[in-house]
Amino acid sequence: MKSPIRNKAVMNPEDMNAAFAEAYNSGDIDKMLALYEPDGILVNPNGGQDKGIEQIRKTLEDLLRLQGNMISKNIYCIPFENIALLRAHFILQTEGTDGNPMQILGHTSEIVRKQQDGSWLYIVDHPHGAELLREVDSTC
């Protein structure tokens, strides 16, 4: 399955997190999905791995249901040949089920890969991958 057509290609890996926030804030699922390789992996809120655009779509649609506003700032980008390791800090302002303001924040960990056209896409996206671990699971 092909990735959806991108409206605005990300040409620098350090711009991925801001591009994700921009896509989220647009409310357009296709703009969000366009940031992932077709067989990319997104770690979902349950800790499972969504692999491929159709599985990723379901998790991102749930995120869009929060109808918030996101800011995501790159903390570091470590490029190596055609891949890069990213870490970002995000803040999502939304409303809780009680209608009161709610803030979701965290530190992400991602791997992006340079595409043939020079743009960059997520191959692994872990929205809370740079958080402190409560437990260490030695399985891989």
Side-chain angles (χ1 to χ4, degrees):
M1 173 177 275
K2 290 174 26 177
S3 250
I5 297 172
R6 295 187 298 277
N7 291 334
K8 184 176 166 186
V10 178
M11 301 309 289
N12 299 300
E14 62 272 15
D15 295 335
M16 284 298 295
N17 301 105
F20 184 89
E22 182 180 322
Y24 174 82
N25 293 336
S26 78
D28 186 336
I29 188 68
D30 290 327
K31 287 183 181 179
M32 294 175 75
L33 292 171
L35 297 172
Y36 293 83
E37 284 195 3
D39 291 325
I41 294 172
L42 170 64
V43 177
N44 64 44
N46 298 324
Q49 295 180 8
D50 295 335
K51 185 170 185 207
I53 293 298
E54 288 313 308
Q55 287 184 14
I56 291 171
R57 174 186 296 275
K58 293 174 186 160
T59 297
L60 293 182
E61 285 173 342
D62 288 343
L63 181 63
L64 280 173
R65 284 189 192 94
L66 295 175
Q67 299 180 350
N69 185 57
M70 182 183 293
I71 297 170
S72 185
K73 295 185 180 181
N74 186 58
I75 295 174
Y76 62 71
C77 172
I78 303 171
F80 177 77
E81 296 177 359
N82 70 334
I83 61 171
L85 174 65
L86 307 176
R87 179 179 182 181
H89 178 258
F90 73 89
I91 301 172
L92 175 60
Q93 303 282 352
T94 188
E95 288 184 359
T97 55
D98 58 5
N100 288 322
M102 182 173 79
Q103 187 177 76
I104 301 168
L105 53 98
H107 290 91
T108 68
S109 181
E110 303 102 357
I111 302 170
V112 294
R113 180 169 28 213
K114 191 172 189 176
Q115 307 298 299
Q116 288 183 355
D117 67 357
S119 67
W120 292 79
L121 296 176
Y122 289 116
I123 55 176
V124 177
D125 181 3
H126 192 328
H128 296 281
E131 302 289 342
L132 293 176
L133 296 175
R134 291 185 202 126
E135 298 178 17
V136 177
D137 182 356
S138 61
T139 61
C140 184

